[in-house]
Amino acid sequence: MSLSVLLAVAPSPEPGGSLDEAAKQAGNAAGWVEENWSTWLNTGLRILLIAAIAIVLRYVIRRALTNLIERMNRSAQAVEGTALGGLLVNAERRRQRSEAIGSVLRSVTSFLILGTAALMILGAFQINLAPLLASAGVAGVALGFGARNLVTDFLSGVFMILEDQYGVGDTVDAGVASGEVIEVGLRVTKLRGDNGEIWYVRNGEVKRIGNLSQGWSTAGVDVTVRPTENLDRVREAITAAAETMAKEDPWAERLWGPVEVLGLDAVLLDSMTVRVTAKTMPGKALGVERELRWRIKQALDEAGIRMVGTVPVQADGVSAPDPTAGMAAPSAYASSTSPQSMAATPIAPPSITK
């Protein structure tokens, strides 16, 4: 049978059936779109609204925090040149503290706002958040165990800054190191030691802090005189020197109270010690002690009161003679093992043995 006969016998496709099927599918698709377009529009508008509110809220809060920090820095700079500013405010300390606090607050704000917005957007897509939150919790626990030292340093730094335990310019004793604070960070604090070295101290390693620059300091001076001196004259000389010092600059500003003579701190056979203290500006105790020693020594010399260790003075003003002046130098022959003594020793006669 030829090919033409087979084609003539085979049934031909009906064009009407294919068009009806295509029209039916197009109608179903249009109906599905018509049924769901309101849901899509509602979801899209909800996502846009959530994103817009999150972005605007984040911008407003971060801007408010930035303005607050700038206002704090301006208030610190306004009193920086005054006596009150030099006494109570350290501009660099206030700046670093405010910047650190602002950085923490901005980061926390961004994390909370954007995280909440992301979860709300996922919820708008009808996504089950329970497995996601569980996975995030497990990842957070694993990260906390793996980087616990970093987390400890960060949290310790945050609380140190918030509580204002120390700041730039303070002299602190951190246990592992001591010196002047030159930078305060969320993870590491930089200290400059007495010899100029820089210590990098992790905030999580600091177990106790001794701040020598907050509140006030105490200057203490021990005056050691002979036990035969008149204590009333000693007290009068020290009090006069202290009153004169308290009236002069810059000691009038550095002294926060009168210089007090507490009394005898120790009484020995050859000396007695008088204790003198004064409340000073933070960090200025060492300078006040040096100046106070200088003035007390001059006052005692003017009053004729001799301190222990000085050469005694005779009544006519002539120093007593040195008791060792008439003593001769020790002889080399006094020691039997010296070369001179051994050279002068007679040679013993040889022993005769039978």
Side-chain angles (χ1 to χ4, degrees):
M1 187 177 293
S2 63
L3 179 61
S4 59
V5 175
L6 293 176
L7 292 175
V9 175
S12 60
E14 297 179 359
S18 300
L19 293 177
D20 293 341
E21 184 178 357
K24 183 178 180 181
Q25 293 178 354
N28 293 336
W32 182 76
V33 171
E34 185 178 359
E35 291 177 358
N36 295 280
W37 74 271
S38 59
T39 304
W40 295 346
L41 181 60
N42 186 20
T43 302
L45 292 178
R46 185 184 303 175
I47 292 174
L48 292 177
L49 182 62
I50 292 173
I53 293 176
I55 293 174
V56 172
L57 185 61
R58 178 176 177 269
Y59 173 79
V60 171
I61 294 180
R62 288 175 64 92
R63 186 63 180 173
L65 292 174
T66 302
N67 293 336
L68 179 61
I69 292 171
E70 292 178 354
R71 188 183 308 169
M72 292 173 59
N73 293 334
R74 286 197 300 267
S75 63
Q77 295 175 359
V79 296
E80 183 179 2
T82 63
L84 181 62
L87 185 62
L88 299 178
V89 178
N90 187 312
E92 181 64 17
R93 169 178 178 172
R94 290 283 299 273
R95 186 192 67 80
Q96 288 199 7
R97 180 169 178 260
S98 60
E99 289 292 340
I101 295 175
S103 176
V104 172
L105 293 178
R106 283 193 293 265
S107 299
V108 171
T109 301
S110 299
F111 177 77
L112 292 178
I113 294 176
L114 297 181
T116 304
L119 293 178
M120 294 178 66
I121 290 174
L122 293 177
F125 282 112
Q126 303 298 326
I127 298 176
N128 188 8
L129 300 179
L132 182 62
L133 295 178
S135 302
V138 173
V141 171
L143 182 61
F145 276 106
R148 57 183 181 274
N149 291 333
L150 181 62
V151 175
T152 302
D153 296 341
F154 181 82
L155 293 179
S156 299
V158 170
F159 283 108
M160 286 179 181
I161 293 174
L162 291 178
E163 296 172 1
D164 196 19
Q165 297 179 8
Y166 54 83
V168 175
D170 287 353
T171 301
V172 300
D173 181 3
V176 294
S178 60
E180 182 181 355
V181 180
I182 59 177
E183 184 177 344
V184 179
L186 293 177
R187 193 182 69 87
V188 175
T189 297
K190 293 182 182 180
L191 303 178
R192 184 175 296 278
D194 297 334
N195 297 325
E197 68 276 10
I198 296 180
W199 298 97
Y200 294 84
V201 182
R202 287 172 44 197
N203 296 328
E205 293 183 350
V206 178
K207 304 302 180 183
R208 51 94 173 168
I209 285 288
N211 196 326
L212 307 180
S213 301
Q214 282 186 352
W216 45 269
S217 300
T218 301
V221 176
D222 292 330
V223 182
T224 305
V225 297
R226 298 182 180 275
T228 57
E229 298 291 346
N230 190 333
L231 290 177
D232 293 334
R233 295 182 60 224
V234 173
R235 182 190 294 272
E236 291 176 359
I238 295 175
T239 303
E243 291 177 353
T244 303
M245 176 181 173
K247 297 177 182 178
E248 298 179 359
D249 292 330
W251 312 111
E253 181 180 353
R254 298 180 182 179
L255 285 171
W256 282 12
V259 179
E260 300 180 359
V261 181
L262 299 182
L264 287 176
D265 192 62
V267 179
L268 304 177
L269 294 176
D270 57 347
S271 65
M272 58 182 178
T273 303
V274 180
R275 182 68 174 175
V276 181
T277 63
K279 186 180 294 185
T280 69
M281 181 188 301
K284 303 298 182 181
L286 186 59
V288 172
E289 289 178 359
R290 292 172 178 171
E291 182 67 18
L292 196 58
R293 290 191 189 98
W294 184 287
R295 293 175 180 266
I296 289 176
K297 178 62 171 62
Q298 290 181 337
L300 294 180
D301 290 343
E302 293 176 357
I305 301 173
R306 299 299 167 182
M307 302 179 66
V308 172
T310 58
V311 179
V313 178
Q314 303 297 324
D316 54 357
V318 180
S319 299
D322 188 1
T324 62
M327 297 176 60
S331 175
Y333 295 97
S335 176
S336 59
T337 59
S338 64
Q340 293 83 356
S341 179
M342 296 179 63
T345 302
I347 301 176
S351 61
I352 300 175
T353 59
K354 295 183 179 180

